[in-house]
Amino acid sequence: MRIIVVVLIGIISCLELQAQQTVKGVITGKQDGKPLVGATVRISNSSFSRNVVTTANGQFSFSGIPNGSYKIGVSFIGFEAWEKVITLQGKPIDLGTITLDKSSKSLDEVVVKATTPPAQQKGDTVQFNASQFKVNADANVEDLVKKMPGVQVENGQVKAQGENVRKVTIDGREFFGDDATAALRNLPADVVDKIQVFDRLSDQAQLTGVDDGQGYKAINIVTKEDRRNGQFGRVYAGYGTDDRYQAGGSVNFFNKERRISIVGLFNNINQQNFTGSDILGLTGGGSGRGGGSGRGGPGGGNSDNFQVAGQRGITTTNSVGVNFSDLWGKNFNVSGSYFFNNSKNDNNSVSNREQFITPDSSTFYREVSSARNNTSSHRINMRMEYKIDSNNTLIITPSFNFQENNNRSDLSGLQSLQSSNPISATQNLSRTTGNGYNFNNTVLFRHAFHNRRRSIAVGITTGLNNRNSTQEVTAISTFYKTIPPDVDSLLQQQIAETKGYSLSTNITYNEPIGKKGTLQVSYNPSYSNSDADQRTWKFDESTGKFSQLDTSLSNVFSNQITTQRGGITYRYGDRDKMLAIGLDAQEATLKNNQTYPQQGVLNKKFSNVLPNAMFRWKLSDKSNIRLFYRSNTNNPGVGQLQNVINNTNPLFLTTGNPELEQSVTNRFGGRYSYTNSRKGTSFFANLFANQTDNFITNATYTAFQDSVLTPTVTLFRGSQLSKPINLDGYWNINSLLTYSFPIKPIKSNLTLNGGLTFVRTPGLINNASNIANSITYSGGLVLASNISEYVDFNLNYTANYSEVKNSFQQTLDNNYFSQLAGLSVNLTSKKGWLFQTEINNQLYRGLTAAFNQDFWLWNMAIGKKFLKDQKGDLRLSVFDLLKQNRSISRTIAANYIEDVQTQVLTQYFMLTFYYRIKNFGKAPAAPRRQTGPGNPFF
């Protein structure tokens, strides 16, 4: 601890010393005294050099300059140069007003050619200039960002520098709430001027200026000035073989500050232009055994024809949405969106699971399932920001989500020994209907005092949720323990309701300490209540109804969590160098109350000390580094706590655990960014690690003989019971390196990626501890053309090699390999002819025998643009030309390894008509208000 204190004091001292070493001044013209905007100021000596340009007020400033003697030089076209020698001795220097005299020399005509760099580093923000990334005229923003270094789009999920992008804004404004996919897929690329990738702070942190650890990766799309006043978008409709169809589009109405966007999508070919949500937890379909999900089949591609997401099954989608934003008056900024979606998913799947039982034995489970899921949802998001005056700001952000679900699944499962001798089998038919809603609202008020660095912010967040479901199950299970085997039947109805509410307040006060320091004091009380009522009814043949209550499968349970959290954080520095150190104290009380079938109360109290730290350093104009550490707690959900057995699949029973405790996670992270604007190169490196105490995992027990659990539930030989428990030892570490550079002879950009992921998952198998260690090595490249809007290609390759080791049963250690190679080409002639093709190869090795596959997915389209300004085009496309499409995934858990192959979309041909809307007026004459990405240090 002493060493840590000494190191921190040393860092703060260094920051204090360097922050004082600043040089500033103002450049004006001698003749008229007006400030000179864009004058170049240079500070240099034999070992140091830095340039800046003057602002709109003629000001310039250098910070973090080491002690020593320097030459200051000022140059501006049409004015005489100015020079001066200065000496820095640990104190700032203000050169005051420097006047430049007009040059007496006449200049011949000069033609200046400037090259816009593809990427620029601006503090924590990486800014990409869209003009330097060539895409076809019909491309959307998703196609554009795919070409940018460090940005990946896979199955609709956007990642930037290795982190999931949670929000995409347009000119700093909300666009369909937190739905990043909707923003990228419904905005044409030709309206984009810049793409800014940054760490977005929470609303409260933006107002207070102190990072509260609730930030996330975000993208801000800066539109072109001449595209902010007009109507633009595209609509389309198509029909194909096997009754495949697609229709939809997006239309945007921009009128200065007022912006309205309307989107629609109707198809049965798996296309989506939004991010799905599942507040009921009912859309998984098929299996009744639980388990994770992995990557689906190949997908993605060009935005015009090949939007097939890597999802499981075949989906019919009908969705419409509208987004609105405007500036009312001078101080009231409002935005809101409504989105309706209905999706019907049909999915047939086959899975193989190897389950660990003892250190030298396993069982094998094979399941064939068919599922249909029908989901309808309504989403409403709003954001109202009112700048009352220069000292007071009010932000209100309500959201509402309603969902209805109807799910039907039919599965047959067979469990066997390593010798292939059967243990048990089940034939299971279930139907589930449900509905539910979530409502959340945050009201945030901030007051700044006369000293602008002194402020107080108060946030109040409320939440309501309600979920109802009814499930009817018919199951016939066979157990091969005798000859003839035993047969057990199940016919029951389960009705469940879960509802809850929450209230939390966050109060923060900032007090300036010196010129560069801020002390923040925070207090965060919160309360949440959840009630769960599950009743299971057996079928009464005499009445023909589900009227016999099974008390052993019924439960009424409530959970209340009260938390008091207070903390103090000291932040020192500026946008170039900043260190923040904080410590929170938290006390949480968990109260579990069961009222049926027995009564019982269980109270627990937890006290935690939760430190946090962050360090950001701008190493140069090209590079910066960010390090952080944060500790937080997570409470179990009411579904994990409710002590009731779920027997919908008699071979895999589950139950809750009311004795669960909160888990504590320590998160470490570091990120290094380097961008050389002149050479067009960039390098990103990051490393993130999560360590969790009291990690909520599963304890599984496989019966070696029949065990009676309740008067009506028996765990038969070979069947499995699983319940959540707390175990220490969970780790998750991932890293990513990305290096991008131009290849000028072919006018393309090459991006190289490499990374490593390590996951350590503890579990309990028949009361014996197991540690599942998984290491995945990944590497790949992307070669993206930058030739013109007429010639566009993208070559990509990704390889993953995984090693899986188990402490419980080392004979099951396994290595497996997968790769994805793809090429997409988009050619367009000036006369309007177009040709598109995309071919992907996926290879799997090391999976179970039936899942080791090597297949190709080839899509193609040809077409012709016509009408005035080529606004219309007709194209013929084919999906899965070779009829080889597949969807394969692998799941690794502490007690099993599972491979799943699911139904996918296969070959079809389609003829589609597209019409592009493009009607722009003049750009606004008055300069727009500042719309940055929401980072107070930007």
Coordinates of all heavy atoms in Angstrom, one line a residue, residues 408-466:
R408 N -44.1 -22.2 -29.6 CA -44.5 -23.6 -29.6 C -43.3 -24.4 -30.0 O -42.6 -24.1 -31.0 CB -45.6 -23.8 -30.7 CG -46.0 -25.3 -30.8 CD -47.1 -25.5 -31.9 NE -47.5 -26.8 -32.0 CZ -48.5 -27.4 -31.4 NH1 -49.2 -26.7 -30.5 NH2 -48.8 -28.7 -31.6
S409 N -42.9 -25.5 -29.3 CA -41.8 -26.3 -29.6 C -42.1 -27.7 -29.4 O -42.9 -28.1 -28.5 CB -40.6 -25.9 -28.7 OG -40.9 -26.2 -27.3
D410 N -41.4 -28.5 -30.2 CA -41.6 -30.0 -30.2 C -40.2 -30.6 -30.2 O -39.4 -30.3 -31.2 CB -42.4 -30.5 -31.3 CG -42.7 -32.0 -31.3 OD1 -42.3 -32.6 -30.3 OD2 -43.4 -32.5 -32.2
L411 N -39.8 -31.3 -29.2 CA -38.4 -31.9 -29.2 C -38.4 -33.3 -28.8 O -39.3 -33.8 -28.0 CB -37.5 -31.0 -28.2 CG -37.8 -31.1 -26.7 CD1 -37.0 -32.3 -26.1 CD2 -37.3 -29.8 -26.1
S412 N -37.4 -34.0 -29.3 CA -37.2 -35.4 -28.8 C -35.7 -35.5 -28.4 O -34.8 -35.0 -29.2 CB -37.5 -36.4 -29.9 OG -36.7 -36.1 -31.1
G413 N -35.4 -36.0 -27.3 CA -34.1 -36.1 -26.7 C -33.7 -37.5 -26.3 O -34.6 -38.2 -25.8
L414 N -32.5 -37.9 -26.5 CA -32.0 -39.2 -26.1 C -30.7 -39.1 -25.4 O -29.8 -38.4 -25.9 CB -31.8 -40.1 -27.4 CG -31.1 -41.5 -27.1 CD1 -32.1 -42.3 -26.2 CD2 -30.8 -42.2 -28.4
Q415 N -30.7 -39.6 -24.2 CA -29.5 -39.6 -23.3 C -28.9 -41.0 -23.2 O -29.6 -41.9 -23.0 CB -29.8 -39.0 -21.9 CG -28.6 -38.7 -21.1 CD -28.9 -37.8 -19.9 OE1 -28.2 -36.9 -19.6 NE2 -30.1 -38.1 -19.3
S416 N -27.5 -41.1 -23.4 CA -26.9 -42.4 -23.4 C -25.5 -42.3 -22.8 O -25.0 -41.2 -22.5 CB -26.7 -42.8 -24.9 OG -25.9 -41.9 -25.6
L417 N -25.0 -43.5 -22.5 CA -23.6 -43.6 -21.9 C -22.6 -43.6 -23.1 O -22.9 -43.6 -24.3 CB -23.5 -44.9 -21.1 CG -24.4 -45.0 -19.9 CD1 -24.4 -46.5 -19.4 CD2 -24.0 -44.0 -18.9
Q418 N -21.3 -43.6 -22.7 CA -20.2 -43.6 -23.7 C -20.3 -44.8 -24.5 O -19.9 -44.8 -25.7 CB -18.9 -43.5 -23.0 CG -18.6 -42.1 -22.3 CD -17.3 -42.1 -21.5 OE1 -17.1 -42.9 -20.7 NE2 -16.5 -41.0 -21.8
S419 N -20.8 -45.9 -24.0 CA -21.0 -47.1 -24.8 C -22.2 -47.1 -25.7 O -22.5 -48.1 -26.3 CB -21.1 -48.3 -23.8 OG -22.2 -48.1 -23.0
S420 N -22.9 -46.0 -25.8 CA -24.1 -45.8 -26.6 C -25.3 -46.5 -26.0 O -26.3 -46.5 -26.7 CB -23.8 -46.2 -28.0 OG -22.8 -45.5 -28.6
N421 N -25.2 -47.1 -24.8 CA -26.3 -47.7 -24.2 C -27.3 -46.5 -23.8 O -26.9 -45.6 -23.1 CB -25.9 -48.5 -23.0 CG -25.2 -49.7 -23.4 OD1 -25.4 -50.3 -24.5 ND2 -24.3 -50.2 -22.6
P422 N -28.6 -46.6 -24.1 CA -29.5 -45.5 -23.7 C -29.8 -45.5 -22.2 O -29.9 -46.6 -21.6 CB -30.7 -45.9 -24.5 CG -30.7 -47.3 -24.8 CD -29.2 -47.7 -24.9
I423 N -29.9 -44.3 -21.7 CA -30.3 -44.1 -20.3 C -31.7 -43.7 -20.2 O -32.5 -44.2 -19.5 CB -29.4 -43.1 -19.6 CG1 -27.9 -43.5 -19.7 CG2 -29.8 -42.8 -18.2 CD1 -27.0 -42.4 -19.2
S424 N -32.1 -42.7 -21.0 CA -33.4 -42.1 -21.0 C -33.7 -41.4 -22.3 O -32.8 -41.1 -23.1 CB -33.6 -41.2 -19.8 OG -32.6 -40.2 -19.9
A425 N -35.0 -41.2 -22.5 CA -35.4 -40.5 -23.7 C -36.7 -39.7 -23.4 O -37.4 -40.1 -22.5 CB -35.7 -41.4 -24.9
T426 N -37.0 -38.6 -24.1 CA -38.2 -37.8 -23.9 C -38.7 -37.3 -25.2 O -38.0 -37.0 -26.1 CB -37.9 -36.7 -22.9 OG1 -39.1 -36.0 -22.6 CG2 -36.9 -35.7 -23.6
Q427 N -40.0 -37.2 -25.3 CA -40.7 -36.6 -26.3 C -41.5 -35.5 -25.7 O -42.4 -35.7 -24.9 CB -41.6 -37.6 -27.1 CG -42.3 -37.0 -28.3 CD -41.3 -36.8 -29.5 OE1 -40.4 -37.6 -29.6 NE2 -41.4 -35.7 -30.2
N428 N -41.3 -34.2 -26.1 CA -41.8 -33.1 -25.3 C -42.4 -32.1 -26.3 O -41.8 -31.6 -27.2 CB -40.6 -32.4 -24.6 CG -41.0 -31.4 -23.6 OD1 -41.7 -30.4 -23.9 ND2 -40.7 -31.6 -22.3
L429 N -43.7 -31.7 -25.9 CA -44.4 -30.7 -26.7 C -44.8 -29.6 -25.7 O -45.5 -29.9 -24.7 CB -45.6 -31.3 -27.4 CG -46.5 -30.4 -28.2 CD1 -45.8 -29.8 -29.3 CD2 -47.8 -31.1 -28.6
S430 N -44.5 -28.4 -26.0 CA -44.8 -27.3 -25.1 C -45.3 -26.1 -25.9 O -44.9 -25.9 -27.1 CB -43.7 -26.9 -24.2 OG -42.6 -26.3 -25.0
R431 N -46.2 -25.3 -25.3 CA -46.7 -24.1 -25.9 C -46.7 -23.0 -24.8 O -47.2 -23.3 -23.7 CB -48.1 -24.3 -26.5 CG -48.6 -23.0 -27.1 CD -50.0 -23.1 -27.7 NE -50.5 -21.9 -28.2 CZ -51.7 -21.7 -28.8 NH1 -52.5 -22.8 -28.9 NH2 -52.1 -20.6 -29.2
T432 N -46.1 -21.9 -25.1 CA -46.0 -20.8 -24.1 C -46.5 -19.5 -24.7 O -46.1 -19.1 -25.8 CB -44.5 -20.6 -23.7 OG1 -44.0 -21.9 -23.2 CG2 -44.4 -19.6 -22.6
T433 N -47.3 -18.8 -24.0 CA -47.8 -17.5 -24.3 C -47.4 -16.6 -23.2 O -47.4 -16.9 -22.0 CB -49.3 -17.5 -24.6 OG1 -50.0 -17.9 -23.4 CG2 -49.7 -18.4 -25.7
G434 N -47.1 -15.3 -23.5 CA -46.8 -14.4 -22.5 C -46.8 -13.0 -23.0 O -46.8 -12.7 -24.2
N435 N -46.8 -12.0 -22.1 CA -46.7 -10.6 -22.4 C -46.0 -9.9 -21.2 O -46.0 -10.4 -20.1 CB -48.0 -10.0 -22.7 CG -49.0 -10.0 -21.5 OD1 -48.8 -9.3 -20.5 ND2 -49.9 -11.0 -21.6
G436 N -45.5 -8.8 -21.5 CA -44.8 -8.0 -20.4 C -44.4 -6.7 -20.9 O -44.4 -6.3 -22.1
Y437 N -44.0 -5.8 -19.9 CA -43.5 -4.5 -20.2 C -42.4 -4.1 -19.3 O -42.3 -4.5 -18.2 CB -44.7 -3.5 -20.2 CG -45.3 -3.2 -18.8 CD1 -44.7 -2.3 -18.0 CD2 -46.4 -3.9 -18.4 CE1 -45.2 -2.1 -16.7 CE2 -47.0 -3.7 -17.1 CZ -46.3 -2.7 -16.3 OH -46.8 -2.5 -15.1
N438 N -41.6 -3.1 -19.7 CA -40.6 -2.4 -18.9 C -40.9 -0.9 -19.1 O -41.0 -0.5 -20.3 CB -39.2 -2.7 -19.4 CG -38.8 -4.1 -18.9 OD1 -39.4 -4.7 -18.0 ND2 -37.7 -4.7 -19.5
F439 N -40.8 -0.2 -18.0 CA -40.9 1.3 -18.1 C -39.8 1.8 -17.3 O -39.6 1.4 -16.1 CB -42.2 1.8 -17.7 CG -42.2 3.3 -17.6 CD1 -42.3 4.1 -18.7 CD2 -42.1 4.0 -16.3 CE1 -42.3 5.5 -18.6 CE2 -42.1 5.4 -16.2 CZ -42.2 6.1 -17.4
N440 N -39.0 2.7 -17.8 CA -37.9 3.4 -17.1 C -37.9 4.8 -17.4 O -38.2 5.3 -18.5 CB -36.5 2.7 -17.5 CG -36.4 1.3 -17.1 OD1 -36.2 1.0 -15.9 ND2 -36.6 0.4 -18.0
N441 N -37.5 5.6 -16.4 CA -37.4 7.1 -16.6 C -36.4 7.6 -15.7 O -36.2 7.3 -14.5 CB -38.8 7.7 -16.3 CG -38.7 9.2 -16.5 OD1 -38.3 9.7 -17.6 ND2 -39.2 10.0 -15.6
T442 N -35.6 8.5 -16.2 CA -34.5 9.2 -15.5 C -34.7 10.7 -15.6 O -34.9 11.3 -16.7 CB -33.1 8.8 -15.9 OG1 -32.9 7.5 -15.7 CG2 -32.0 9.6 -15.2
V443 N -34.7 11.4 -14.5 CA -34.8 12.9 -14.4 C -33.5 13.4 -13.8 O -33.1 13.0 -12.7 CB -36.0 13.4 -13.6 CG1 -36.0 14.9 -13.5 CG2 -37.3 12.9 -14.2
L444 N -32.7 14.2 -14.6 CA -31.4 14.6 -14.1 C -31.4 16.2 -14.2 O -31.7 16.8 -15.2 CB -30.3 14.0 -15.1 CG -28.9 14.4 -14.8 CD1 -28.5 14.0 -13.4 CD2 -28.0 13.8 -15.9
F445 N -31.0 16.7 -13.0 CA -30.9 18.2 -12.9 C -29.5 18.5 -12.5 O -28.9 17.9 -11.6 CB -31.9 18.7 -11.9 CG -31.7 20.2 -11.7 CD1 -32.1 21.2 -12.6 CD2 -31.1 20.6 -10.5 CE1 -32.0 22.5 -12.3 CE2 -30.9 22.0 -10.2 CZ -31.3 22.9 -11.2
R446 N -28.9 19.6 -13.2 CA -27.6 20.0 -12.8 C -27.5 21.5 -12.7 O -28.1 22.2 -13.5 CB -26.6 19.6 -13.9 CG -25.1 19.9 -13.6 CD -24.5 20.8 -14.6 NE -23.1 21.0 -14.4 CZ -22.4 21.9 -15.1 NH1 -23.0 22.7 -15.9 NH2 -21.1 22.0 -14.9
H447 N -26.9 21.9 -11.6 CA -26.7 23.4 -11.3 C -25.2 23.7 -11.2 O -24.5 23.0 -10.5 CB -27.4 23.8 -10.0 CG -27.1 25.2 -9.6 ND1 -27.6 26.3 -10.2 CD2 -26.3 25.7 -8.6 CE1 -27.2 27.4 -9.7 NE2 -26.4 27.1 -8.7
A448 N -24.8 24.7 -12.0 CA -23.4 25.1 -11.9 C -23.4 26.5 -11.2 O -24.2 27.4 -11.4 CB -22.8 25.3 -13.3
F449 N -22.4 26.6 -10.2 CA -22.3 27.8 -9.4 C -21.5 28.9 -10.2 O -21.2 28.7 -11.4 CB -21.6 27.5 -8.1 CG -22.5 26.5 -7.2 CD1 -22.3 25.2 -7.4 CD2 -23.4 27.1 -6.3 CE1 -23.1 24.3 -6.6 CE2 -24.1 26.2 -5.5 CZ -24.0 24.8 -5.7
H450 N -21.3 30.0 -9.5 CA -20.6 31.1 -10.2 C -19.2 30.6 -10.7 O -18.8 31.0 -11.8 CB -20.4 32.2 -9.2 CG -19.7 33.4 -9.8 ND1 -20.2 34.2 -10.8 CD2 -18.4 33.9 -9.5 CE1 -19.3 35.1 -11.1 NE2 -18.2 35.0 -10.4
N451 N -18.5 29.8 -9.9 CA -17.3 29.1 -10.3 C -17.8 27.9 -11.1 O -18.4 27.0 -10.6 CB -16.5 28.7 -9.1 CG -15.2 28.0 -9.5 OD1 -15.0 27.5 -10.6 ND2 -14.2 28.1 -8.7
R452 N -17.6 27.9 -12.4 CA -18.2 26.9 -13.3 C -17.7 25.5 -13.0 O -18.4 24.6 -13.3 CB -17.8 27.3 -14.8 CG -18.2 28.6 -15.2 CD -19.7 28.8 -15.2 NE -20.4 28.0 -16.1 CZ -21.7 27.9 -16.3 NH1 -22.5 28.7 -15.5 NH2 -22.3 27.1 -17.1
R453 N -16.6 25.4 -12.3 CA -16.1 24.0 -12.0 C -16.8 23.5 -10.7 O -16.6 22.3 -10.4 CB -14.6 24.0 -11.8 CG -13.8 24.3 -13.1 CD -12.4 24.6 -12.8 NE -11.8 23.5 -12.1 CZ -10.7 23.7 -11.3 NH1 -10.2 24.9 -11.1 NH2 -10.2 22.6 -10.6
R454 N -17.6 24.3 -10.0 CA -18.3 23.9 -8.9 C -19.7 23.6 -9.3 O -20.4 24.5 -9.9 CB -18.3 24.9 -7.8 CG -19.0 24.5 -6.5 CD -19.0 25.6 -5.4 NE -17.6 25.8 -4.9 CZ -16.9 26.9 -5.0 NH1 -17.4 27.9 -5.7 NH2 -15.7 26.9 -4.6
S455 N -20.2 22.4 -9.1 CA -21.6 22.1 -9.5 C -22.2 21.0 -8.7 O -21.5 20.3 -7.9 CB -21.5 21.6 -11.0 OG -20.8 20.4 -11.1
I456 N -23.5 20.8 -8.8 CA -24.2 19.8 -8.1 C -25.2 19.2 -9.1 O -25.8 19.9 -9.9 CB -24.9 20.3 -6.8 CG1 -25.6 19.1 -6.1 CG2 -26.0 21.3 -7.2 CD1 -26.1 19.4 -4.7
A457 N -25.3 17.9 -9.1 CA -26.2 17.2 -10.0 C -27.1 16.2 -9.2 O -26.5 15.5 -8.4 CB -25.5 16.5 -11.2
V458 N -28.4 16.1 -9.6 CA -29.3 15.2 -8.9 C -30.0 14.4 -10.0 O -30.6 15.0 -10.8 CB -30.3 15.9 -8.0 CG1 -31.2 15.0 -7.3 CG2 -29.6 16.8 -6.9
G459 N -29.9 13.1 -9.9 CA -30.6 12.2 -10.8 C -31.5 11.3 -10.1 O -31.2 10.7 -9.0
I460 N -32.8 11.1 -10.6 CA -33.7 10.2 -10.0 C -34.2 9.3 -11.1 O -34.6 9.7 -12.2 CB -35.0 11.0 -9.4 CG1 -34.5 11.9 -8.3 CG2 -36.0 10.0 -8.9 CD1 -35.6 12.8 -7.8
T461 N -34.1 7.9 -10.9 CA -34.4 6.9 -11.8 C -35.5 6.0 -11.3 O -35.4 5.5 -10.1 CB -33.2 6.1 -12.2 OG1 -32.2 6.9 -12.8 CG2 -33.6 5.0 -13.3
T462 N -36.5 5.8 -12.0 CA -37.6 4.9 -11.6 C -37.8 3.8 -12.7 O -37.5 4.0 -13.9 CB -38.9 5.7 -11.5 OG1 -39.2 6.4 -12.7 CG2 -38.9 6.7 -10.4
G463 N -38.3 2.7 -12.2 CA -38.5 1.6 -13.1 C -39.6 0.7 -12.7 O -39.9 0.5 -11.5
L464 N -40.4 0.2 -13.7 CA -41.5 -0.7 -13.5 C -41.4 -1.8 -14.5 O -41.0 -1.6 -15.7 CB -42.9 0.1 -13.7 CG -43.2 1.2 -12.7 CD1 -44.5 1.9 -13.2 CD2 -43.5 0.6 -11.3
N465 N -41.8 -3.0 -14.1 CA -41.8 -4.1 -15.0 C -42.8 -5.2 -14.6 O -43.1 -5.3 -13.4 CB -40.4 -4.8 -15.1 CG -40.0 -5.5 -13.8 OD1 -40.4 -6.6 -13.5 ND2 -39.1 -4.8 -13.0
N466 N -43.3 -5.9 -15.6 CA -44.3 -6.9 -15.3 C -44.3 -7.9 -16.4 O -44.2 -7.5 -17.6 CB -45.8 -6.2 -15.3 CG -46.8 -7.2 -14.8 OD1 -47.1 -8.2 -15.4 ND2 -47.4 -6.9 -13.7

